[in-house]
Amino acid sequence: MTSGNAGRTMGWIKAVAAAGTCLLASCGSSIAPLRPAWQQDPNLFHQGFPAYKEQMTKTPHMVARIVYSSPEQIARMMEIQGDVPDAQRGFARMGDGTVDLAVQDVASGQWIESYLCGGILFVSGLPQQAYRLVLKNRTPMPLQIGVGIDGKDAETGGVASLGRGNLRVEKNGTLVMDHTPRGPLLFKAVNGDAALFDTSPQGRVGVIQLAVFLASDAPSIGPEKLRASQIAPFGLLPIGRPEQYR
């Protein structure tokens, strides 16, 4: 009798387990797919294909800021900033990690002394020192960059802004800039600490701002489905989400 009850109980457990497995599989296949960070807008099209808002937006995905001045003044600004300076030996990872940024001395080819502090890259630059900006795209998507240097647009020479520029960086590519329409990039004399506090779109002398956009012709990334390891029992709640490019 006991053996019979045990057999029936074991059979019931196996049946419930099989039903749960089937339910889990069906829930997993019916869960709505996860979207990338930029959500699809059916009203936008690019070259006949649906585009994403991020590919058309006029708001930068991120803005990388450089503040430069003499070594003594840079030290004072970082003290005012009130964060821990992190000395950079080459490239600094900016913002959410979309781009890496470095400043190089043209004459020597050496990386110029710089510190990442409070999200700003502080660079020790002397007046009339020739320099170049080097930006690395760390994403698998092409980017468009708008660059404002000392209050001037690096492409047009007009007033700087945080608008979408025409400087393009291919996926995992590098952008090198050492000239503008006005000539080679030269550090200027910076007076006072105002550059530290200026976050306006046009900037000022001592401020370099790089507005980063997803390129308008970047391919649309399709939806990603939940992996089996991300589905909770009975498919009620997703455990985590796939890593998304931003």
Side-chain angles (χ1 to χ4, degrees), residues 125-148:
L126 300 175
Q128 299 305 305
Q129 179 181 1
Y131 68 94
R132 64 171 57 96
L133 300 173
V134 187
L135 179 145
K136 284 186 177 181
N137 177 3
R138 299 188 62 250
T139 77
M141 305 290 283
L143 302 176
Q144 283 179 269
I145 312 293
V147 183

Side-chain angles (χ1 to χ4, degrees), residues 24 27 31 226-240:
L24 178 61
C27 288
I31 290 177
L226 287 168
R227 297 188 296 270
S229 62
Q230 295 175 296
I231 303 174
F234 305 108
L236 298 177
L237 295 171
I239 301 176

Side-chain angles (χ1 to χ4, degrees), residues 30-244:
S30 62
I31 290 177
L34 295 178
R35 300 287 182 176
W38 45 82
Q39 296 295 311
Q40 186 172 14
D41 184 344
N43 297 317
L44 293 177
F45 286 83
H46 179 76
Q47 295 181 351
F49 294 94
Y52 288 91
K53 291 181 180 179
E54 187 73 12
Q55 293 160 314
M56 303 295 183
T57 183
K58 296 181 180 179
T59 302
H61 169 69
M62 64 165 289
V63 177
R65 295 189 73 233
I66 297 174
V67 172
Y68 73 82
S69 190
S70 64
E72 299 80 10
Q73 195 165 357
I74 282 295
R76 184 170 64 252
M77 287 184 183
M78 290 191 295
E79 185 176 353
I80 295 173
Q81 182 80 344
D83 203 348
V84 179
D86 183 10
Q88 303 298 301
R89 293 171 178 81
F91 286 92
R93 189 150 296 174
M94 305 301 294
D96 63 351
T98 297
V99 299
D100 288 346
L101 189 59
V103 185
Q104 190 177 36
D105 179 72
V106 171
S108 66
Q110 300 295 315
W111 300 117
I112 299 176
E113 179 183 358
S114 60
Y115 302 86
L116 198 56
C117 182
I120 300 173
L121 187 62
F122 289 88
V123 176
S124 297
L126 300 175
Q128 299 305 305
Q129 179 181 1
Y131 68 94
R132 64 171 57 96
L133 300 173
V134 187
L135 179 145
K136 284 186 177 181
N137 177 3
R138 299 188 62 250
T139 77
M141 305 290 283
L143 302 176
Q144 283 179 269
I145 312 293
V147 183
I149 302 175
D150 298 325
K152 300 294 183 181
D153 186 286
E155 294 180 76
T156 67
V159 177
S161 71
L162 296 178
R164 183 183 289 269
N166 294 316
L167 296 173
R168 182 182 178 89
V169 191
E170 298 297 337
K171 63 178 184 179
N172 302 311
T174 302
L175 172 69
V176 179
M177 177 184 294
D178 58 11
H179 282 76
T180 71
R182 295 172 290 128
L185 295 182
L186 301 174
F187 288 128
K188 297 184 178 181
V190 180
N191 298 315
D193 302 323
L196 174 62
F197 305 103
D198 192 333
T199 57
S200 63
Q202 64 270 17
R204 65 170 62 223
V205 172
V207 176
I208 301 171
Q209 297 187 126
L210 298 95
V212 180
F213 296 81
L214 183 69
S216 58
D217 64 344
S220 298
I221 294 181
E224 297 186 37
K225 293 184 178 180
L226 287 168
R227 297 188 296 270
S229 62
Q230 295 175 296
I231 303 174
F234 305 108
L236 298 177
L237 295 171
I239 301 176
R241 290 174 177 267
E243 182 179 353
Q244 307 287 6

